[in-house]
Amino acid sequence: MSASSDQQVLVAAQGTAPTTHAQLAAWVQEVSALTQPSSVYWVDGSQEENDRLAAELVDGGTFVRLNDELFPHSFAAFSDPKDVARVEERTFICSKEEKDAGFTNNWMDPAEMKAILTDRFTGSMRGRTMYVIPFVMGPLDAEQPQYGVEITDSAYVVVSMRIMARIGTDVLRKMEAEKAFFVPALHSVGAPLEPGKADVPWPCNDEKWIVHFPEERAIWSYGSGYGGNALLGKKCYALRIASAIARDEGWLAEHMLLLKLTSPEGKAYNVAAAFPSACGKTNLALLTPTVEGWKAETLGDDINWMRIGKEGELRGVNPEYGLFGVAPGTGWSTNPNAMRAIAKGNSVFTNVALTDDGGVWWEGMTDEVPAHLTDWQGNDWTPESGSPAAHPNSRFCTPISQVDMLAPEYYSPDGVEIHAILFGGRRKTTIPLVTEARSWTNGIFMGATLSSETTAAAAGALGVLRRDPMAMLPFIGYNAGDYLNHWDSIAAKANPERLPKIFLVNWFRRTPEGGFAWPGFGDNSRVLKWAIERIEGKADAVETPIGFVPTGDSIDLDGLEDFTPADVEVAVRVDHEEWKTELASIEEWFAGFGEALPQSLKDELAGLDERLGA
Ligand code: GTP
Ligand code: SPV
Ligand code: MN
């Protein structure tokens, strides 16, 4: 029997008509013929199914079941040490024309790429189950639900996708009823199991391909089981493919957290903030304000889809369903809200350390370091070991519904009006704690020139300074010049009175002595308070060549020990020499865009040059 007729039998055997959606049925058929799994399974998204898959993952050695009293219904997984983060060098945008991918993306001709991938996917699921996961990014009752279907040969991906996105039969039925378009997202770990061969806990392939076809709205991911490489609803769909859809339809898909703040007077403000990977989004999204009388509520921690509302206001929706947060640095003192969400259970931890009583630990979780652990690579670990117990990009994957401070508007398909946008990066020098943009266009300039030192969230060197426009460098699914033009076009569609104010922030600046110039975490509420008081026209600021920075005493330092207005002045200082160097670096970055750079940003650069003077 040929592989394809073999597969027809399999699909039929799993329920005579698993779907009435003709394109979906055809695609599943085609993929199973190509990848030749031993069975095809349609994911229903139920708790029973999840428990069964988790039990299988425990039996297979992928999952360690955690102590139920410490972390109910929770599991730890440990990846292959070569599969621990997103792989930007192996990430491709395969538009028909190279110029549509632009100079910031890897590109290959779609037909050439399909030929390579077809070869890799041929038989890639042999000996494994092929799971079909119907999902939707954003609420299912949205005006136009954004559907996807991930096909994967990894049960770890199924269990994780159930936390990160709305999945299963409800989604499938609505998709069928609407005969809706869906993004086909194909994933294989690229490790076929030969008959009689034992599986490994974390199958993957040394060769990885994370490939997007923006015109077709399709995703093919091969060789990795980790995070953004494998949970295709997240970065691949909700950012890369969605950004291309958003450009065509006049909206924005952004790498942003969403936070609702209520002032002591009871006025609510929604803040969106774009920081590169591992630069503080989840922490700010789950902030406990240290400043009196202010309330914070979470709307989203990683992705924000923004549209222009009926009154010309900018509105944001979080398309995700869970948190996929950096574990190290998340602790009871820095982020108790995340810790409380995690403690409710129903979580998957990847590459953290195990405690002797069946719990998990990572650097920064508790002030006290356990005397003994099993590190993420399975070795005995003590504080003397000299290596981190948890991988720096280890993650917790937890339902967002478990966040106590979740704003009720999270569930609203219309989202919330955005009142302020922050752009921020990890910079030891130059960039002040906070700077208010001179105008909307000046704010876009801040976003377009955003820069940050690289982190463990992507494979490659750490601490290397790079430009990361709107924190989207690895996630723009098309030409970055077109992306900046798209941002530039938003104002014309919006009500100018309702455009958010834009701020540039840097929680990571150092003092001349080498310590952090700002305490960060919950105290970032003090910076947010200043930003909102700027919107309200209440707080003081100093005009500088780069924008408006707080005066030393305009930041509320009440209750903050050992931190004075003079320290604020250090944190917000605009150093002329540093900015001359920065200007040269921005000129170099802009030169890469050539003619694609919007005129408005050329004008902003010229204005900055002039204001900085000699
Ligand atoms: P991704 O999930 O990769 O997109 O990361 P993220 O932007 O959500 O970053 P996250 O909030 O997880 O923070 C990453 C790291 O930065 C953690 O180790 C935090 O402890 C640290 N961090 C976050 N906020 C602050 C801050 O205000 N000050 C300092 N010094 N460190 C911070
Ligand atoms: C990021 O790197 O920005 C993340 C983690 O949020 S991942 O899902 O792996 O992309
Ligand atoms: Mn992220």
Side-chain angles (χ1 to χ4, degrees), residues 7 107 181 197 268 274 283 428 448 522 548:
Q7 290 314 308
W107 176 86
F181 173 81
K197 217 177 128 221
N283 277 273
K428 291 193 179 69
F548 299 91

Side-chain angles (χ1 to χ4, degrees), residues 174-227:
K174 191 145 190 272
M175 213 169 95
E176 289 167 341
E178 294 168 11
K179 297 189 170 46
F181 173 81
F182 65 92
V183 168
L186 173 55
H187 171 252
S188 172
V189 294
L193 251 191
E194 299 313 329
K197 217 177 128 221
D199 204 356
V200 293
W202 189 275
C204 62
N205 196 300
D206 284 349
E207 191 184 301
K208 296 175 177 38
W209 295 94
I210 317 299
V211 182
H212 309 74
F213 300 94
E215 286 119 353
E216 260 182 63
R217 322 287 198 212
I219 304 160
W220 294 51
S221 165
Y222 176 89
S224 169
Y226 204 83

Side-chain angles (χ1 to χ4, degrees), residues 86 234-235 255 275-284 301-302 324-330 334-335 392-393 395-396 426 455 457 475 507-508 516 518-522 524:
R86 285 183 295 103
K234 195 172 173 56
K235 296 304 161 65
H255 191 202
F275 310 155
S277 302
C279 290
K281 287 184 301 302
T282 302
N283 277 273
L284 194 65
D301 84 316
D302 200 50
F324 188 67
V326 177
T330 305
T334 54
N335 194 346
N393 191 38
R395 299 266 167 173
F396 59 85
R426 191 181 276 270
T455 66
F475 308 119
W507 312 142
F508 301 91
F516 284 109
W518 175 250
F521 300 103
N524 293 335

